């Protein structure tokens, strides 16, 4: 079973910041938080990951709470092309693959 | 830099048959993972290969098997196909072995079992 809980769907207006929450209350000390997204009919795309510090790259920002039990993915200026299913995944460093849940279907409204 | 490629794009088989799916990893990546994605679900991890050896496996029966070649490309073989094997099969490559590096996914192979 996935170790994360995400809302099944969210809407966001184009040009606004999209904030996607994720709960991972059972995360272990050596597990990272990863975010991927999957646009319809394509393979998942890596977005960002972090351990305990906030992270930012050209696609998004990741905010992890101090107790590491939840995180938020922020798309600063959402576009229509950001409409996708977003998956929050916790993972250690082993060879056990990524455990995907059902994710959040983010719909960007024009 | 060439990304992850998979072949074929689509495939139709009948129950009981065998199928082989192929994946070419991204340049410089020596780890390949395979995932099964049923309609409306997230991808499910099948197994991972690192330097031609299986080094991780999800909850899939032995009729799901794989190979990784010296050039790090990979095959997924499924024997005795069942109707529930109908899914999108995704291949992902990554640099390194047991580390938590990000994985780069291919576009997938859509398998339909009739």
């Amino acid at each position: 079973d996935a170790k994360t809980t995400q809302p099944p769907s969210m809407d966001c207006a184009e040009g606004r910041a999209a904030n996607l929450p994720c709960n991972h209350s059972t995360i272990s000390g050596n597990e990272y938080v990863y975010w991927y997204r999957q646009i319809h009919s394509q393979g998942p795309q890596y977005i960002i990951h972090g351990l305990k510090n906030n992270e930012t790259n050209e696609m998004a920002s990741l905010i992890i709470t101090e107790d590491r039990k939840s995180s938020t993915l922020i798309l600063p200026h959402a576009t229509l092309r950001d409409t996708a299913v977003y998956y929050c995944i916790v993972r250690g460093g082993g060879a056990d693959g990524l455990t995907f849940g059902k994710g959040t279907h983010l719909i960007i409204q024009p | 830099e060439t990304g992850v490629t998979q072949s074929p794009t689509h495939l139709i088989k009948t129950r009981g048959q065998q199928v082989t799916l192929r994946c070419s990893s991204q340049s410089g990546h020596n780890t390949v993972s395979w995932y099964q994605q049923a309609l409306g679900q997230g991808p499910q991890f099948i197994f991972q290969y690192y330097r031609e050896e299986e080094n991780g496996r999800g909850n899939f029966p032995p009729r799901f098997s794989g190979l990784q070649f010296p050039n790090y490309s990979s095959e997924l073989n499924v024997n005795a196909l069942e109707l529930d094997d109908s899914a999108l099969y995704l291949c992902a490559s990554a640099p390194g072995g047991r580390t938590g590096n990000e994985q780069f996914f291919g576009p997938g192979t859509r398998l339909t079992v009739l």
Side-chain angles (χ1 to χ4, degrees):
Chain A
D1 291 335
K3 299 180 182 179
T4 62
T5 303
Q6 300 177 252
S9 64
M10 292 181 64
D11 288 348
C12 179
E14 188 177 18
R16 298 282 194 174
N19 296 277
L20 292 90
C22 179
N23 286 319
H24 32 79
S25 57
T26 60
I27 192 169
S28 302
N30 65 342
E31 289 182 317
Y32 287 76
V33 180
Y34 285 79
W35 284 83
Y36 283 75
R37 73 179 183 184
Q38 188 171 25
I39 296 170
H40 183 62
S41 298
Q42 298 182 21
Q45 177 190 22
Y46 166 81
I47 301 173
I48 199 168
H49 75 282
L51 183 63
K52 55 182 178 181
N53 297 320
N54 298 337
E55 302 287 345
T56 295
N57 63 19
E58 65 278 4
M59 288 183 67
S61 294
L62 173 60
I63 309 297
I64 303 174
T65 58
E66 191 169 343
D67 63 8
R68 303 212 319 126
K69 293 185 176 182
S70 65
S71 60
T72 301
L73 178 75
I74 301 172
L75 307 178
H77 305 288
T79 71
L80 297 178
R81 285 182 288 186
D82 291 323
T83 292
V85 178
Y86 287 77
Y87 296 100
C88 170
I89 299 165
V90 296
R91 180 173 188 256
D96 52 358
L98 298 168
T99 300
F100 290 83
K102 293 193 174 181
T104 295
H105 188 195
L106 176 66
I107 299 172
I108 306 302
Q109 305 282 1
Chain B
E1 183 179 84
T2 304
V4 178
T5 60
Q6 294 185 242
S7 63
T9 305
H10 296 85
L11 199 55
I12 299 175
K13 291 285 189 178
T14 57
R15 193 170 48 183
Q17 285 188 311
Q18 178 266 343
V19 69
T20 298
L21 311 180
R22 294 179 175 84
C23 170
S24 292
S25 60
Q26 187 164 317
S27 176
H29 289 183
N30 55 16
T31 301
V32 173
S33 302
W34 285 91
Y35 293 80
Q36 179 195 67
Q37 186 173 24
L39 203 60
Q41 304 294 319
Q44 300 298 305
F45 174 65
I46 302 175
F47 45 56
Q48 177 176 292
Y49 277 82
Y50 171 60
R51 293 185 175 178
E52 303 177 58
E53 297 286 332
E54 183 182 303
N55 71 337
R57 191 177 182 94
N59 188 27
F60 279 80
R63 61 189 185 85
F64 287 78
S65 63
L67 283 173
Q68 188 180 31
F69 301 99
N71 67 354
Y72 304 129
S73 66
S74 177
E75 287 182 354
L76 165 66
N77 299 290
V78 187
N79 294 321
L81 283 167
E82 301 176 358
L83 297 179
D84 285 349
D85 295 332
S86 294
L88 180 68
Y89 287 86
L90 295 159
C91 167
S93 74
R98 297 177 64 85
T99 58
N101 294 315
E102 57 266 33
Q103 299 190 12
F104 294 83
F105 284 81
T109 294
R110 173 73 62 187
L111 173 65
T112 301
V113 182
L114 302 176

